[in-house]
Amino acid sequence: MKQVLLLLFFLPQYLFSQELSGVVRDGETNEIIPFARIRIMGGMQTQSNENGEFSLPVDVFPVKCIVSAADYYTDTILVSNPRIEIRLKPLVSVKELGPVVVAASRRQQLVEELAVSLDIIKPELIANKGIMDLEQAVDQVPGAYAMDGQVSIRGGSGFTYGAGSRVLVLWNEIPLLSADVADAKWNAIPIENVQQIEVIKGASSVLYGSGALNGMISLIEREPTEKTSLNVQVQGGVYDNPKRSTLKWWSKNPQFYQGDLTFAKQFGRFGLTLGAYGYTNDGYRQGETEGRGRFNGTISYRPKNIKNFKASLGWNAQLQKTGNFIIWQSDTFAYQPYGGADTSLPGSSLTYNRGVRVSVDPTVKYIDKFGNKHQLRGRLYFVDNKNFTNLSQSSKSEMWYGDYQFQRGWNSNSWVLTTGVTAIANEVRSYLFGDHSSLNSALYLQGEKNWEKLNIVLGVRGEYFQQDGIRGDSDYYFGKDSAKKIPIRPVIRSGIHYAIAKHTHLRASFGQGVRYPSIAERYTTTSVGGLVIFPNPQLKPEMGWAAEIGVKQGVKIGKWRGFVDVAGFINHYDNMMEFTFGNYKPDSIPFNFFDPNASGYYKKWLGFRAQNAESAEITGAEISVSGEGKIGPVSILALLGYTYMNPVSKNRDSTYRTTFSDTSANMLKYRFKHLAKADIQLEYKGISIGGSMRMNSYMQNIDAIFENGVLGQQILPGLKTYRAEHKGITVVFDMRIGYTYREKYKVAFIVNNLANAEYMTRPGDVQAPRSFMLQLSYKI
């Protein structure tokens, strides 16, 4: 009888117990939200799986559920049915006027709410223009300019061949500068697999460290989703004959080809992104051939038994062979190398190189039960440069990087704290530089306070740096004449954003930056085509700061959304490094003017050496327009802008001023006063037409030795005459037309340098003539 009573007691609960099940999705993008927390008020709780699905028992309907997830607003809903689709509102809304960015504060933000200037390069721009590497892509950004491997943002960098970069390049928020030269290997960065490129203008060292003195370029890899993504693109082209017949050295026009493939998909708890790329170029300059291939990707995993945890492993491996053209034969034969293209002859400045670039990136992300975000990132970046022509110019280097970041937001991110520690160890083994090592460690802290219309950010970073076990580069002195110091150099940033109206945003910012001397700048000893380079172990770090005030106005025309941005800026730099010509005979060696065999013979010690030669200040203003969407039936994608700069030297030393090609001007070397960029694409019923324009004013000052030579010997023969004949504004146009069929297949015809203009970036570097390209692509 007792068993019967127990059965009668529990049977109604069993018979009438019900189940609530469903899926949690993003309220705007409709993408699933894995590992969301679903709790019934006064009852049980559960978590959605990797597909956003969940189920839990309930006694009776309706019930109140509290649903929460990282990066989403918590919602309380009344549920009356056993099956439901829950849609959460993201903290950062993609329905707002602006796109979402990450680099500025290492978290998702709307671009209009930033306190700094930031431009976005969409992957569509890269594909539409048939861009071959990241350097070409950045050269399309307003205020940015690329010169033979070096990028300058708002005039913050000039040109010094082989010197370190003042612009920090990041891949998935991890620095991607080589350990030896501290430069970006532009052609090795997998732009075919990029989701977005963010370009920050001005010093950005607080969150990312040394190297971000002049700005930062952050590339975000595309994330896999449940939907399969497959993209295949092939393109091939040919260089036209230049207008000036003496430039043509070929009997058959040089050609170039490129192909890439990317794949991305989320397989339950596993995510996979893959990319493959191949490129070959005959070179429009004699001997400057290039061939490269790479394979890259990321695999990620979310374990079932650890909630809100994600581990991933990314990689990129590239093998390349290149011909390096450094100095022209003359202004008449500017596409031919000094000393000829036969590298077996001792006078040839042409070299052939094999390059290997490999990076491996382990990453762990975890959100604990309190909502704290923990991220551990690592990278091994290996670079091997073998010079087949001159083995003494070969080198190998490794960068070991580790960063732990903690981030916490309170009250739907009205308060945000970001802090972490970073360590970078570099190892260099080289005939060219010698064997060296360095260690760079840092602690950073940034706080943000966000009101409805007002946002304030404050940050500080402490940097420690040593090279070959020697301290001093990061020493901070308390006052100019003070002997008190600490071995940690602080850098700060601050910014404020205020929404004047719904789509009108005012901002102001101040940031400091630091860049430590690279191994190459301190220890290079070599000669190329008569150019002798001497080492300088006494180089000091570069320091600088940037300040800006700007306003960003949102614009909406039909379904087209964009921004008009106006900014005024000032950048200041001290101890700027540049390779300066002089006589660098050590004091310990007696001077000799007559005996060529003597160790102190003066000609043996004439050459270039990295020096802390310059202090500079750059003021200016910039206006830009960017946006995408439809006006009526026409889709429009646009990025354009104009930058005015006044880059002046603060170095009053008369000896240094004699190195200027124009001593009457106070303008920094290798800079412009005016830059303008534009790219617009229109699409209607699958037919697209687009065009680009790049304009710069005359480069008034360069190193005088390149124009005048030394002791009767010309380093760049004919350069002075060439610059006098091309003393004006440079304008380059590109055009393209394409057709897309069923949103999967596309064919395009691209013409670069439409007018076949002859122009030069840095001295002796005449750019490509007009080229024609056919592009085929397929995507699902």
Side-chain angles (χ1 to χ4, degrees), residues 601-640:
Y601 184 57
Y602 75 102
K603 283 189 177 181
K604 291 182 178 180
W605 299 100
L606 289 175
F608 289 86
R609 187 173 77 171
Q611 300 274 77
N612 294 111
E614 186 66 275
S615 292
E617 190 168 273
I618 304 165
T619 55
E622 184 172 274
I623 181 170
S624 64
V625 179
S626 62
E628 60 182 322
K630 283 189 174 183
I631 300 178
V634 181
S635 296
I636 303 175
L637 180 66
L639 176 63
L640 55 156

Side-chain angles (χ1 to χ4, degrees), residues 204-229:
S204 308
S205 286
V206 166
L207 289 180
Y208 296 100
S210 174
L213 187 66
N214 181 217
M216 189 173 65
I217 301 168
S218 176
L219 297 95
I220 307 299
E221 185 182 22
R222 70 181 66 195
E223 285 281 345
T225 64
E226 292 177 294
K227 183 180 178 181
T228 300
S229 172

Side-chain angles (χ1 to χ4, degrees), residues 541-740:
E542 296 180 334
M543 293 294 297
W545 55 264
E548 178 193 70
I549 184 168
V551 62
K552 188 180 289 288
Q553 175 63 55
V555 179
K556 187 175 182 181
I557 306 173
K559 294 182 179 180
W560 188 88
R561 299 179 297 175
F563 290 101
V564 177
D565 190 279
V566 179
F569 59 87
I570 177 171
N571 300 331
H572 184 91
Y573 303 100
D574 291 312
N575 290 333
M576 292 186 79
M577 289 177 263
E578 62 180 54
F579 280 87
T580 304
F581 184 80
N583 188 294
Y584 296 108
K585 182 190 67 66
D587 293 337
S588 59
I589 299 178
F591 181 83
N592 189 293
F593 194 78
F594 302 103
D595 185 3
N597 297 317
S599 58
Y601 184 57
Y602 75 102
K603 283 189 177 181
K604 291 182 178 180
W605 299 100
L606 289 175
F608 289 86
R609 187 173 77 171
Q611 300 274 77
N612 294 111
E614 186 66 275
S615 292
E617 190 168 273
I618 304 165
T619 55
E622 184 172 274
I623 181 170
S624 64
V625 179
S626 62
E628 60 182 322
K630 283 189 174 183
I631 300 178
V634 181
S635 296
I636 303 175
L637 180 66
L639 176 63
L640 55 156
Y642 164 76
T643 308
Y644 167 78
M645 296 160 289
N646 184 32
V648 298
S649 172
K650 307 294 284 188
N651 188 338
R652 304 302 181 187
D653 182 83
S654 58
T655 303
Y656 173 70
R657 286 301 181 91
T658 62
T659 67
F660 285 32
S661 59
D662 184 353
T663 56
S664 65
N666 195 31
M667 187 172 174
L668 291 171
K669 290 181 279 188
Y670 307 104
R671 268 64 164 204
F672 308 104
K673 279 188 174 289
H674 306 276
L675 279 177
K677 306 289 178 72
D679 186 89
I680 300 177
Q681 172 140 326
L682 311 177
E683 185 172 349
Y684 174 70
K685 292 186 177 181
I687 300 174
S688 61
I689 183 169
S692 295
M693 183 276 293
R694 297 176 301 282
M695 182 278 287
N696 60 264
S697 57
Y698 179 62
M699 185 183 289
Q700 188 170 355
N701 253 325
I702 65 171
D703 281 293
I705 190 173
F706 290 135
E707 284 193 348
N708 303 325
V710 58
L711 300 178
Q713 181 179 352
Q714 294 293 314
I715 297 174
L716 288 168
L719 178 64
K720 189 168 186 176
T721 301
Y722 187 93
R723 278 171 48 82
E725 293 174 349
H726 295 78
K727 194 173 183 178
I729 294 175
T730 297
V731 183
V732 181
F733 294 99
D734 306 326
M735 290 292 292
R736 57 189 183 267
I737 187 170
Y739 177 69
T740 303

Side-chain angles (χ1 to χ4, degrees), residues 159-417:
F159 176 79
T160 303
Y161 187 83
S165 175
R166 295 188 180 107
V167 176
L168 184 62
V169 177
L170 305 171
W171 176 263
N172 286 338
E173 299 183 59
I174 304 176
L176 200 58
L177 299 182
S178 64
D180 51 1
V181 186
D183 67 343
K185 308 301 183 186
W186 301 102
N187 68 357
I189 298 172
I191 58 174
E192 67 276 7
N193 229 344
V194 73
Q195 178 175 308
Q196 185 165 282
I197 302 174
E198 302 170 11
V199 181
I200 292 181
K201 302 171 183 180
S204 308
S205 286
V206 166
L207 289 180
Y208 296 100
S210 174
L213 187 66
N214 181 217
M216 189 173 65
I217 301 168
S218 176
L219 297 95
I220 307 299
E221 185 182 22
R222 70 181 66 195
E223 285 281 345
T225 64
E226 292 177 294
K227 183 180 178 181
T228 300
S229 172
L230 176 66
N231 292 273
V232 181
Q233 179 175 289
V234 293
Q235 58 190 28
V238 60
Y239 292 109
D240 196 3
N241 293 330
K243 285 183 178 179
R244 192 154 54 100
S245 61
T246 57
L247 294 181
K248 181 185 173 184
W249 54 268
W250 54 78
S251 57
K252 178 184 177 182
N253 290 64
Q255 300 175 6
F256 52 92
Y257 302 93
Q258 176 185 302
D260 61 73
L261 180 150
T262 62
F263 171 85
K265 185 175 176 58
Q266 187 73 34
F267 299 93
R269 295 186 177 274
F270 287 92
L272 181 64
T273 302
L274 295 174
Y277 175 96
Y279 174 76
T280 180
N281 192 331
D282 296 336
Y284 65 91
R285 288 185 281 216
Q286 189 178 22
E288 196 177 48
T289 58
E290 182 176 6
R292 61 181 187 262
R294 64 171 170 258
F295 177 61
N296 57 83
T298 298
I299 183 169
S300 62
Y301 177 63
R302 301 177 185 266
K304 186 176 182 179
N305 58 342
I306 306 178
K307 298 177 181 179
N308 300 325
F309 181 92
K310 179 182 178 181
S312 61
L313 182 69
W315 71 89
N316 181 44
Q318 174 166 302
L319 176 65
Q320 66 182 46
K321 184 178 179 181
T322 60
N324 284 11
F325 182 108
I326 301 175
I327 305 173
W328 69 20
Q329 181 70 31
S330 67
D331 61 323
T332 304
F333 305 107
Y335 283 169
Q336 298 177 51
Y338 185 86
D342 186 352
T343 56
S344 65
L345 300 176
S348 176
S349 61
L350 184 70
T351 61
Y352 287 100
N353 301 265
R354 183 216 63 196
V356 177
R357 289 88 169 91
V358 178
S359 61
V360 180
D361 304 349
T363 304
V364 172
K365 298 180 180 180
Y366 174 62
I367 303 175
D368 64 27
K369 62 181 181 180
F370 303 106
N372 302 314
K373 298 180 183 180
H374 307 265
Q375 297 191 60
L376 185 63
R377 297 182 177 92
R379 170 168 291 158
L380 166 61
Y381 185 31
F382 172 75
V383 175
D384 181 6
N385 295 312
K386 184 174 182 179
N387 190 317
F388 292 117
T389 309
N390 185 353
L391 289 176
S392 66
Q393 295 183 4
S394 302
S395 68
K396 293 182 180 180
S397 65
E398 297 173 1
M399 180 195 76
W400 296 83
Y401 175 92
D403 177 83
Y404 167 74
Q405 178 188 306
F406 172 90
Q407 192 170 82
R408 174 66 186 268
W410 291 270
N411 300 326
S412 298
N413 281 354
S414 64
W415 289 91
V416 180
L417 172 69

